[in-house]
Amino acid sequence: MTASAARAVPSQIDGYGPTRPFTGVGLPPDVITRASAKVSPSVHGRDKQLRNLEAAFDACGIRDGATLSFHHHLRNGDQVLNQVLAVASARGLRDLRIAASSLFPVHAPLVDHIRNGVVTRICTAYMSGPVADAVSRGLLATPVVMQTHGGRARAIEAGELQIDVAFVGAPAADRCGNLSGAEGRAACGPLGYAMVDAQYARRVVAVTDHIGEYPLVPIDISQEQVDFLVLVDSIGDPAGILSGSTRPTTDPVSLQIAETAARVIAASGLLVDGFSLQTGAGGISLAVSQYVQASMRERKVQGSFGAGGVTGYLVDMLEEGLFRSLFDVQCFDLRAVESYRRDRRHQAMSASMYANPHNRGAIADQLDAMLLGAAEVDLDFNVNVTTGSSGRILGGSGGHADTAAGAKLALVATRLVSGGGPKIVESVGCVTTPGESIDAVVTELGVAVHPERVELRDRLLHCGVNVLDISVMRSKANTLAQKAPATPEPGRRVVGVMEYRDGRVIDVIREVSQNR
Amino acid sequence: MTASAARAVPSQIDGYGPTRPFTGVGLPPDVITRASAKVSPSVHGRDKQLRNLEAAFDACGIRDGATLSFHHHLRNGDQVLNQVLAVASARGLRDLRIAASSLFPVHAPLVDHIRNGVVTRICTAYMSGPVADAVSRGLLATPVVMQTHGGRARAIEAGELQIDVAFVGAPAADRCGNLSGAEGRAACGPLGYAMVDAQYARRVVAVTDHIGEYPLVPIDISQEQVDFLVLVDSIGDPAGILSGSTRPTTDPVSLQIAETAARVIAASGLLVDGFSLQTGAGGISLAVSQYVQASMRERKVQGSFGAGGVTGYLVDMLEEGLFRSLFDVQCFDLRAVESYRRDRRHQAMSASMYANPHNRGAIADQLDAMLLGAAEVDLDFNVNVTTGSSGRILGGSGGHADTAAGAKLALVATRLVSGGGPKIVESVGCVTTPGESIDAVVTELGVAVHPERVELRDRLLHCGVNVLDISVMRSKANTLAQKAPATPEPGRRVVGVMEYRDGRVIDVIREVSQNR
């Protein structure tokens, strides 16, 4: 009765190859093999700084078919990927694979590179905007591979995702290639996603608009991992870097959901000394963290850590002494960046330390409570944060499936309807996170507890939380919705392969009609 | 005319295998391959803490012939290696290989394990005391492999030195296996040497006497690299951890040498903004750093970094603003430990970042001035810090050959005679560091500049430094000496193989007579 059982994953997908189907979360293998890596030792005294990106293409010997990696700490302000691909295109390169930890609307120029055959393969953990639209409509020659943040780190370490050149956008660098996200005009916080790329890529090119005095303090990625350094006018627009909702919701319905979610956490038995928490940067999540903050204060709970995607709200909790430390793979706002710069308790973590399911213990596995969003949740508790009701790609797992698997209490908080459509559905259009790793779904109607979490249900009932069956939520969502959920179009071409964090295929994404 | 040219390194050595002979420092290869590594992913929710060391042997499946690694941050206070090998011996294990970053007198019990066949192979970067004596006398079944600190990191990364189980003595740990040298009763500073072991070993066992609250701050080795955790009564005697000379010399002759060395640095043209320095913890070195400190203050030089083996004297310079940062692979005194605990500018570095010749740029390569000691220096500027005049092993490279190769100014500071024997000799008994990477030798007589460093010689002469030929130093040393340098006994069995930092064999060590 796993999510995948209901999903007919083809055994072979054109442009992807044979699939290993997801059959339930299960246990990790006893032994895994981390890939060997080829490295070019630096020559003593040779300058790492190159004239421009063109010179980096020459120095790295980038050819047709190469895999270039990028990270998304600069989010919707990123200018590195576009600059690099403009060079690739001008050089007439073809058939490149882009391994970007996430893609945002700012990466719209990539659509032309796809159309022109410069880029024919993409793997990423999240994509939204014109590139996502183009892929959904079938423009890319091969299916996009949608990974999780932890799964991407795992794939790199396992050698499944071999990177020829990692382009690391660095808000600050020194002449030897020590890199930091703590300083510079585009300061964005720790470069957690890029850390794994830098360790395994054949070549590492740091792209920066700020070369500071040697050596940097603190260092996110150190000089022994960086081949070349390119100074550009700008790596990104700070206004776009810290984008998205970073305020707690003020909407009454969302606030009610947040309050209920906080009650679930309080009732779960986890809100005791040592408590740990991760929330996203969405309005409901942030409101939950504020309610939890108040509860911790009231109960005098000494928490262990907050993790993420870190916002100023987690920083507040650190500074108030509610957490001993923060583990930060990327910052979501300036207050978090500032905290990372000056507070040693605010610790960087790599994507692997964050969420790789095949290392010796990720931070995600130590989470007590994780607040998750959803585009859709279904009766099996499967969550979709990858496609919209139209079937188009509008996001992706990021750390969703990783933290859901890791956290003791994986809580989805969502409204019943959005944009007129129901968010609690019979069966999600695409499985991002399997229902077996979700503990409860909180809506304005109350809390649906996964049927296997009997103890949690009892605790909630004991505390007077309104517990109801998820099918009741579905009915109510249907009643409230002004339009029916989209019907899948099963016959269409596969344009996306959803890899679970361990690389097994949990679902596919199919081409949408042009008029959807 | 390289050091090796004069050394007849056998093409094959029993118990070592075929040798790649050293033929000069040269350039690194264009490409190297970092080894793949096998890792056992953690199982979610399973406790890492084991009952005792015996349980760790079971959990890791340690068998005859296994390679166990150790690090030496606890120096002559270390109790981890002895405890682990006592268990190995009690279990009747045979033919173990010990890959210890250094061995000290405290490790005397290892002699019995060698005698009994529990241990038949050793590789290390430094050894002194009873184990060194026993190896010199031929007790070990195979030649000890003497590496450099950077060479050891390189060999691990290259898969030449494959570690089955790394035992990491950790002054502080948390329940998930985050490790730190900043806290605990045996606090010793950053665990730089163990970082590489933890990344590549098949299994990593943390041995600690202090489990703090989760999570540790700061973290030297993080939880995703640690398999198991064993709590013991004591990992080491703090009094022995910070051993050795950590006071500047007060002896007039040594002070004179230190003053001359400082004048060489001042005259070299390197003592300008961005200046970087590494000194050991010897009395002359520390005195030099104090003279340099005064010069920097006087000239208003803003240095970049101090590195090491960090002492309180480098910390003083950091805090005075003479350096922007410290790079620390291990602390030599409590003031350094305290600085590492609270000052973010005091940055940890792994052995690979410190000195691996085959990464993309080590800290050692960024050094301006390096102060080196010597047991002997010869007319080719070759330095021996491995064997004494009797031919017995009494030390080893540590970072000597690494920093000599990396630093712009590699300065040997030594007295002409010691213990009645000459320190400037015709030909060193054992080449630790090839003469081509030494720039000058400073003694109480003046400064001998390597014949190829013409510019340096001219600068020194211009500044009135007493420059003389090294053969003059040798003659004077011979005159002062009360005994002749030992004559080698070339026919005897090879008991040690000296690997240059890139793994080529630069010399061998031969068995000494029992009565030497």
Side-chain angles (χ1 to χ4, degrees):
Chain A
M1 281 297 291
T2 61
S4 63
R7 308 275 149 179
V9 171
S11 59
Q12 165 85 30
I13 298 172
D14 282 354
Y16 179 83
T19 60
R20 288 186 295 131
F22 177 79
T23 54
V25 172
L27 291 173
D30 287 344
V31 184
I32 58 103
T33 303
R34 286 199 194 134
S36 70
K38 291 207 182 299
V39 172
S40 289
S42 69
V43 174
H44 193 198
R46 188 176 294 171
D47 193 356
K48 286 187 178 182
Q49 192 174 338
L50 301 176
R51 218 168 47 258
N52 50 33
L53 286 171
E54 285 78 3
F57 272 70
D58 288 335
C60 297
I62 298 176
R63 301 204 186 147
D64 289 355
T67 296
L68 312 184
S69 91
F70 301 89
H71 62 95
H72 72 283
H73 295 88
L74 306 174
R75 303 178 68 76
N76 202 34
D78 174 51
Q79 293 167 358
V80 173
L81 185 144
N82 291 343
Q83 289 177 51
V84 170
L85 290 189
V87 173
S89 175
R91 293 168 77 95
L93 288 166
R94 310 278 303 169
D95 195 27
L96 299 176
R97 175 162 65 161
I98 302 307
S101 53
S102 295
L103 291 167
F104 287 91
V106 73
H107 298 123
L110 178 50
V111 175
D112 272 343
H113 301 313
I114 293 172
R115 190 174 286 120
N116 299 333
V118 177
V119 171
T120 53
R121 292 180 295 166
I122 294 177
C123 57
T124 189
Y126 176 98
M127 61 198 302
S128 63
V131 178
D133 285 349
V135 170
S136 296
R137 291 195 313 270
L139 193 68
L140 190 68
T142 60
V144 63
V145 179
M146 299 294 292
Q147 301 173 310
T148 71
H149 284 326
R152 182 178 188 275
R154 181 203 58 76
I156 293 169
E157 291 189 5
E160 291 170 20
L161 173 51
Q162 291 185 359
I163 298 167
D164 293 302
V165 184
F167 286 92
V168 181
D174 63 33
R175 62 178 168 74
C176 293
N178 291 301
L179 310 181
S180 167
E183 307 283 344
R185 54 175 277 289
C188 62
L191 304 174
Y193 297 115
M195 291 175 186
V196 184
D197 302 40
Q199 238 183 313
Y200 283 86
R202 175 69 185 85
R203 290 288 197 175
V204 177
V205 178
V207 183
T208 189
D209 53 16
H210 175 74
I211 299 184
E213 280 186 82
Y214 184 84
L216 284 189
V217 179
I219 293 167
D220 288 329
I221 293 175
S222 76
Q223 62 183 57
E224 86 267 24
Q225 302 190 320
V226 176
D227 289 288
F228 302 113
L229 188 61
V230 176
L231 183 66
V232 296
D233 289 340
S234 168
I235 60 164
D237 171 12
I241 292 169
L242 305 164
S243 63
S245 165
T246 53
R247 293 270 156 209
T249 184
T250 53
D251 165 79
V253 174
S254 296
L255 268 179
Q256 184 200 331
I257 296 168
E259 197 184 353
T260 305
R263 285 185 66 203
V264 171
I265 292 171
S268 69
L270 296 167
L271 199 62
V272 294
D273 283 351
F275 176 71
S276 59
L277 174 69
Q278 180 169 341
T279 69
I284 294 180
S285 281
L286 295 179
V288 174
S289 74
Q290 292 197 313
Y291 285 119
V292 170
Q293 180 177 22
S295 291
M296 290 176 77
R297 203 181 284 147
E298 194 186 314
R299 297 182 180 200
K300 300 198 193 313
V301 167
Q302 163 70 66
S304 56
F305 71 94
V310 169
T311 63
Y313 301 95
L314 284 181
V315 172
D316 286 342
M317 294 172 81
L318 175 72
E319 294 186 351
E320 197 183 326
L322 298 176
F323 291 128
R324 291 172 48 78
S325 181
L326 299 181
F327 284 118
D328 191 347
V329 68
Q330 71 162 145
C331 288
F332 281 142
D333 61 29
L334 281 177
R335 178 144 163 60
V337 175
E338 175 57 27
S339 163
Y340 177 59
R341 176 159 39 223
R342 75 188 148 55
D343 191 338
R344 208 170 189 179
R345 298 173 301 170
H346 189 146
Q347 306 192 78
M349 63 178 168
S350 72
S352 186
M353 186 185 185
Y354 170 34
N356 179 351
H358 287 178
N359 66 25
R360 290 153 171 160
I363 295 297
D365 288 349
Q366 296 306 321
L367 281 171
D368 285 325
M370 174 71 206
L371 256 292
L372 297 161
E376 296 175 323
V377 187
D378 69 20
L379 298 183
D380 291 326
F381 288 76
N382 295 317
V383 181
N384 174 15
V385 289
T386 304
T387 59
S389 60
S390 65
R392 286 191 317 170
I393 300 168
L394 47 62
S397 175
H400 198 286
D402 298 312
T403 51
K408 290 197 183 72
L409 179 65
L411 215 52
V412 173
T414 180
R415 301 176 66 129
L416 288 169
V417 297
S418 166
K423 299 190 71 171
I424 314 293
V425 297
E426 170 93 22
S427 175
V428 291
C430 175
V431 180
T432 310
T433 298
E436 62 174 304
S437 60
I438 300 295
D439 296 288
V441 176
V442 183
T443 66
E444 60 266 45
L445 211 59
V447 181
V449 179
H450 190 285
E452 289 182 10
R453 306 304 188 280
V454 179
E455 192 204 337
L456 176 64
R457 194 198 56 200
D458 293 347
R459 282 180 179 270
L460 299 189
L461 288 172
H462 181 76
C463 292
V465 174
N466 183 26
V467 174
L468 65 166
D469 199 89
I470 193 152
S471 63
V472 177
M473 282 188 181
R474 197 232 347 200
S475 304
K476 181 70 179 180
N478 276 348
T479 309
L480 290 174
Q482 286 137 16
K483 57 188 186 195
T487 48
E489 301 177 275
R492 298 185 69 93
R493 183 166 76 95
V494 172
V495 296
V497 177
M498 302 284 300
E499 283 188 357
Y500 189 60
R501 53 201 305 247
D502 58 9
R504 290 176 298 169
V505 176
I506 191 166
D507 208 343
V508 295
I509 305 166
R510 294 189 183 267
E511 189 181 357
V512 296
S513 313
Q514 296 295 332
N515 56 358
R516 274 209 169 196
Chain B
M1 281 297 291
T2 61
S4 63
R7 307 276 148 176
V9 171
S11 59
Q12 164 87 27
I13 298 171
D14 282 352
Y16 178 84
T19 59
R20 289 185 293 128
F22 177 79
T23 55
V25 173
L27 291 174
D30 288 342
V31 184
I32 58 100
T33 302
R34 285 198 194 135
S36 70
K38 291 208 184 299
V39 172
S40 289
S42 68
V43 174
H44 193 199
R46 189 176 292 169
D47 193 358
K48 286 186 178 182
Q49 192 174 338
L50 301 175
R51 217 168 48 255
N52 51 32
L53 286 171
E54 286 78 5
F57 273 70
D58 288 334
C60 298
I62 299 176
R63 300 202 186 147
D64 288 355
T67 297
L68 311 184
S69 90
F70 301 88
H71 62 94
H72 71 283
H73 295 87
L74 305 174
R75 304 178 68 79
N76 203 34
D78 174 50
Q79 293 167 359
V80 173
L81 185 143
N82 291 344
Q83 289 177 54
V84 169
L85 290 189
V87 173
S89 175
R91 293 169 77 95
L93 288 166
R94 310 278 304 167
D95 195 26
L96 299 176
R97 174 162 65 162
I98 302 306
S101 52
S102 294
L103 291 167
F104 288 91
V106 73
H107 298 123
L110 179 50
V111 174
D112 272 342
H113 301 313
I114 294 171
R115 190 174 288 121
N116 299 333
V118 177
V119 171
T120 54
R121 292 179 293 166
I122 294 177
C123 57
T124 189
Y126 175 99
M127 61 199 302
S128 63
V131 179
D133 285 349
V135 171
S136 296
R137 291 195 312 271
L139 193 68
L140 189 67
T142 60
V144 62
V145 180
M146 299 294 292
Q147 303 174 311
T148 71
H149 284 327
R152 180 177 189 277
R154 181 204 58 74
I156 293 170
E157 291 189 4
E160 290 170 21
L161 174 51
Q162 292 185 1
I163 298 167
D164 293 302
V165 184
F167 286 92
V168 181
D174 63 33
R175 61 177 167 75
C176 293
N178 291 301
L179 309 180
S180 167
E183 307 284 344
R185 55 174 276 290
C188 62
L191 305 174
Y193 297 115
M195 291 175 187
V196 184
D197 302 40
Q199 239 183 313
Y200 283 87
R202 175 68 185 86
R203 290 288 195 175
V204 177
V205 177
V207 182
T208 189
D209 52 17
H210 174 74
I211 299 184
E213 281 187 81
Y214 184 85
L216 284 190
V217 179
I219 293 167
D220 288 330
I221 292 175
S222 74
Q223 62 183 57
E224 86 268 23
Q225 302 189 321
V226 176
D227 288 287
F228 303 113
L229 187 62
V230 176
L231 182 66
V232 296
D233 288 339
S234 168
I235 61 165
D237 171 13
I241 292 168
L242 305 163
S243 61
S245 165
T246 53
R247 295 269 156 209
T249 184
T250 51
D251 165 81
V253 175
S254 295
L255 268 179
Q256 184 200 332
I257 295 168
E259 196 184 354
T260 305
R263 286 185 64 202
V264 172
I265 292 171
S268 70
L270 296 168
L271 200 62
V272 294
D273 284 350
F275 176 72
S276 59
L277 174 69
Q278 180 169 340
T279 69
I284 293 182
S285 281
L286 294 179
V288 175
S289 74
Q290 292 197 313
Y291 285 120
V292 170
Q293 179 177 22
S295 292
M296 290 177 76
R297 204 181 282 148
E298 194 186 316
R299 298 181 179 200
K300 299 195 193 314
V301 167
Q302 163 68 67
S304 55
F305 71 93
V310 169
T311 63
Y313 301 94
L314 284 181
V315 171
D316 287 341
M317 295 172 80
L318 174 72
E319 294 185 351
E320 197 183 327
L322 298 176
F323 291 128
R324 294 172 45 78
S325 183
L326 299 181
F327 284 118
D328 190 347
V329 67
Q330 72 164 143
C331 290
F332 280 141
D333 60 30
L334 281 178
R335 179 144 161 62
V337 174
E338 176 56 28
S339 163
Y340 176 59
R341 177 158 40 222
R342 67 184 158 58
D343 191 339
R344 207 170 189 175
R345 298 172 302 171
H346 189 144
Q347 305 192 80
M349 63 179 168
S350 72
S352 186
M353 185 183 185
Y354 170 34
N356 179 349
H358 287 178
N359 67 25
R360 290 153 171 160
I363 296 297
D365 288 349
Q366 297 305 321
L367 282 170
D368 285 327
M370 175 70 208
L371 256 291
L372 298 160
E376 297 174 323
V377 186
D378 71 20
L379 298 183
D380 292 325
F381 289 76
N382 296 319
V383 180
N384 175 13
V385 289
T386 305
T387 59
S389 60
S390 65
R392 286 192 316 168
I393 300 169
L394 47 60
S397 177
H400 198 285
D402 298 314
T403 51
K408 291 198 181 72
L409 179 65
L411 216 51
V412 173
T414 181
R415 301 177 67 128
L416 288 169
V417 296
S418 166
K423 300 189 70 169
I424 315 292
V425 297
E426 170 93 22
S427 176
V428 290
C430 176
V431 180
T432 310
T433 298
E436 60 174 306
S437 59
I438 300 295
D439 296 287
V441 176
V442 183
T443 66
E444 60 266 45
L445 212 58
V447 182
V449 179
H450 190 285
E452 290 183 8
R453 306 301 188 281
V454 178
E455 193 203 336
L456 176 64
R457 194 199 54 202
D458 292 348
R459 281 180 180 270
L460 299 189
L461 289 171
H462 180 77
C463 292
V465 175
N466 182 26
V467 174
L468 66 164
D469 199 89
I470 193 149
S471 63
V472 176
M473 283 187 181
R474 195 226 357 194
S475 304
K476 181 71 178 176
N478 276 349
T479 309
L480 291 174
Q482 285 136 14
K483 57 187 185 196
T487 47
E489 300 177 276
R492 299 184 69 92
R493 184 166 74 95
V494 171
V495 296
V497 178
M498 302 285 300
E499 284 189 357
Y500 189 60
R501 53 202 305 250
D502 59 8
R504 290 177 297 169
V505 175
I506 191 167
D507 208 344
V508 295
I509 305 166
R510 293 187 184 269
E511 190 179 357
V512 295
S513 312
Q514 297 294 334
N515 56 358
R516 276 207 168 196

